[in-house]
Amino acid sequence: MFRTAVGIERVATVVIGAGHAGLAASRCLSERSIDHVVLERGEVANSWRRERWDSLRLLTPNWLNRLPGYRYDGTDPDGYMGMGEVIEFISRFAAVSGAPVRTHTAVTSLRQTDAGYHVATTTGDVHCRTVVLASGACNVPIVPAVREAVPASVRSVTPFDYRRPSELPEGGVLVVGASATGVQLADEIHRSGRPVTLSVGEHVRMPRMYRGRDVLWWMDASGVWTQRYDEVDDLTRARRLPSPQLVGTPERTTLDLNALNAIGVALVGRLSAVRDGHALFSGGLRNQFALADLKLERLLDTFDAWAHSQGRDGDMPPPERFEPTRVPQSSPLILNLRSGAIQSIVWATGFRPDYSWLDVPVIDEKGHLRHEGGAVEAPGMYALGLPVLRRRNSTFICGAGDDARDVIDHLAGYLAAPHRA
Ligand SMILES: Cc1cc2nc3c(=O)[nH]c(=O)nc-3n(C[C@H](O)[C@H](O)[C@H](O)COP(=O)(O)OP(=O)(O)OC[C@H]3O[C@@H](n4cnc5c(N)ncnc54)[C@H](O)[C@@H]3O)c2cc1C
């Protein structure tokens, strides 16, 4: 790293973001002695410090949380980390890797130049030849436009605003979305004594345990989770899939719709509109359930076939199948949001990245970054941590290492190419 005559710092590579993905990139860059800096608007593991609710635990078991040259080495490999432990885990990785992180340095603009990129930040400008966008896939909660029509008497909350149930008004809560976030919040809020209605669209059902092992052991060992992006049949669809209905608890409980229904959470269909103070739900609940059950069956078939092919059947209990998702006897298609029965709505409707600072035309009309396995459509620009970037597990901690190695390999080749010397 050095400074130009006008005092602008020059470095081979700038990594934007000190979450686990940016830190994995940094580790791989250091292994290749590539001069770099990691720019972070907050602190290391900022998303886990600022953007998660109090009770959240990872849904990935501890033994699975691995990063390049680093893995969980505590006393509870089958447990699931709470937020304090995740922050500690990632911060320790940054320390042992010696990652050159510059905290409290927000990137405000990234522009292309003849020689590479100009990175403007809140603490000064940096020139680099290559850049890695590791700024996260979940920077902004997605809230559907129907929110605008919700009566002012009902409080709207996103997972970024939500910390604990006691901060919600007393009374009924409508949770919209039944992916990992939606089912976890529905469960916690219901247990706080607030009646919960859960609006269910497309979802991914998973048992916590299968044949005596964590379901993510199966995902990992069978290769389903490490399937490469260029082997996935419908990549666009795979990149849009909701997160699985999983929660990490010491009891290793399954948190599917049957479990929620059993404790009294009311299930309704997909929220399709809010009109004249009424929430309108689609009637396709039975179909949504059948589809999720079918996909689960197929996934379990894949696991069983893999176990059989590996001669593992003798090591574990026989294949299991789970009760189909129970369709409620009655499920309202309409809820009056002015009656007082619903006091707040939690929008668990997904997240998206924020590229408002990116001044290079690499975003498509749907707001997605244009890239091929992490090589962005601009020379010397790379990305990490996006859904199915290079593998199905690309957004998870356990997926960052393999992706970072591949992406940094490509980046190193780019820097070494004779015309770039
Ligand atoms: C609710 C939730 C639960 C999850 N649970 C799990 C789980 O159980 N297991 C698992 O493996 N994964 C889980 N994930 C997925 C994933 O591990 C996290 O989203 C993780 O935080 C992603 O890591 P990352 O490094 O890609 O992005 P982030 O951790 O978001 O890191 C990006 C960093 O970039 C910084 N940044 C952003 N913009 C700028 C800018 N302009 N300038 C400078 N810095 C910037 C941010 O402050 C942040 O620190 C979960 C995600 C969510 C949302």
Side-chain angles (χ1 to χ4, degrees):
M1 184 188 314
F2 67 93
R3 282 182 192 278
T4 63
V6 286
I8 295 180
E9 197 177 328
R10 280 192 185 281
V11 65
T13 304
V14 164
V15 178
I16 304 175
H20 72 253
L23 296 168
S26 170
R27 174 84 177 221
C28 296
L29 288 163
S30 295
E31 281 168 7
R32 291 171 168 274
S33 305
I34 296 175
D35 174 34
H36 69 283
V37 63
V38 183
L39 305 179
E40 168 54 54
R41 63 182 171 183
E43 290 163 72
V44 167
N46 204 50
S47 304
W48 301 104
R49 293 173 196 270
R50 308 259 169 260
E51 297 166 359
R52 311 281 191 256
W53 58 95
D54 292 354
S55 67
L56 180 64
R57 282 183 174 275
L58 291 189
L59 51 79
T60 40
N62 292 337
W63 61 263
L64 184 57
N65 297 319
R66 56 188 177 221
L67 286 161
Y70 180 78
R71 55 173 57 241
Y72 176 84
D73 61 0
T75 54
D76 185 18
D78 294 323
Y80 307 89
M81 292 181 202
M83 288 307 93
E85 293 162 296
V86 181
I87 293 164
E88 159 71 20
F89 179 75
I90 295 175
S91 302
R92 197 147 63 87
F93 176 58
V96 298
S97 312
V101 181
R102 200 165 298 167
T103 55
H104 303 290
T105 299
V107 173
T108 52
S109 148
L110 175 65
R111 282 192 291 110
Q112 210 162 1
T113 65
D114 289 344
Y117 295 94
H118 179 102
V119 188
T121 85
T122 47
T123 61
D125 293 1
V126 187
H127 276 177
C128 57
R129 287 164 63 200
T130 54
V131 60
V132 180
L133 314 182
S135 48
C138 302
N139 305 121
V140 186
I142 297 171
V143 179
V146 296
R147 173 186 178 161
E148 297 304 317
V150 171
S153 57
V154 175
R155 188 184 312 166
S156 268
V157 177
T158 72
F160 275 24
D161 312 322
Y162 177 88
R163 287 290 171 274
R164 60 195 76 89
S166 60
E167 289 183 351
L168 294 176
E170 290 297 335
V173 182
L174 172 62
V175 176
V176 184
S179 62
T181 299
V183 295
Q184 290 181 27
L185 296 187
D187 181 50
E188 165 165 293
I189 295 167
H190 181 82
R191 289 177 193 279
S192 78
R194 291 163 179 77
V196 170
T197 303
L198 177 63
S199 166
V200 182
E202 185 187 1
H203 57 279
V204 178
R205 182 182 180 195
M206 271 191 203
R208 179 75 267 181
M209 302 295 289
Y210 182 62
R211 297 180 70 181
R213 290 174 193 254
D214 195 292
V215 73
L216 296 183
W217 178 86
W218 287 94
M219 291 289 284
D220 190 54
S222 67
V224 170
W225 230 10
T226 46
Q227 187 185 25
R228 283 174 53 105
Y229 76 106
D230 44 8
E231 291 166 355
V232 171
D233 281 342
D234 185 345
L235 185 57
T236 308
R237 203 179 135 59
R239 286 183 168 158
R240 283 201 338 250
L241 267 189
S243 55
Q245 291 173 333
L246 283 176
V247 65
T249 60
E251 302 76 26
R252 299 168 151 208
T253 39
T254 290
L255 188 60
D256 59 11
L257 298 176
N258 282 347
L260 287 170
N261 198 225
I263 61 167
V265 170
L267 304 178
V268 294
R270 193 170 186 280
L271 178 65
S272 53
V274 176
R275 209 171 292 143
D276 302 327
H278 290 76
L280 310 180
F281 303 101
S282 79
L285 211 48
R286 185 180 294 274
N287 288 346
Q288 295 283 9
F289 289 2
L291 195 62
D293 289 348
L294 180 72
K295 286 189 185 157
L296 173 60
E297 290 264 332
R298 284 197 195 136
L299 183 66
L300 301 181
D301 288 346
T302 306
F303 293 164
D304 293 337
W306 171 81
H308 189 67
S309 71
Q310 300 297 307
R312 302 288 296 260
D313 279 333
D315 305 348
M316 52 181 76
E320 306 167 62
R321 288 299 175 263
F322 298 89
E323 184 197 355
T325 310
R326 291 187 294 275
V327 182
Q329 284 188 333
S330 73
S331 166
L333 295 176
I334 183 162
L335 261 185
N336 183 352
L337 297 176
R338 292 209 178 97
S339 70
I342 297 291
Q343 290 292 327
S344 51
I345 300 182
V346 178
W347 301 98
T349 32
F351 304 92
R352 65 172 175 80
D354 173 18
Y355 295 123
S356 52
W357 41 269
L358 181 54
D359 299 317
V360 185
V362 287
I363 306 291
D364 70 16
E365 63 292 345
K366 292 195 170 143
H368 302 304
L369 192 71
R370 283 201 299 266
H371 69 91
E372 175 66 28
V376 180
E377 263 189 30
M381 185 184 286
Y382 296 88
L384 280 172
L386 299 178
V388 201
L389 181 103
R390 294 193 61 81
R391 289 170 183 81
R392 281 195 186 269
N393 63 1
S394 288
T395 48
F396 290 86
I397 295 170
C398 58
D402 288 343
D403 277 16
R405 273 189 208 97
D406 292 350
V407 161
I408 299 307
D409 263 5
H410 196 294
L411 180 151
Y414 176 84
L415 282 175
H419 62 284
R420 303 273 159 210

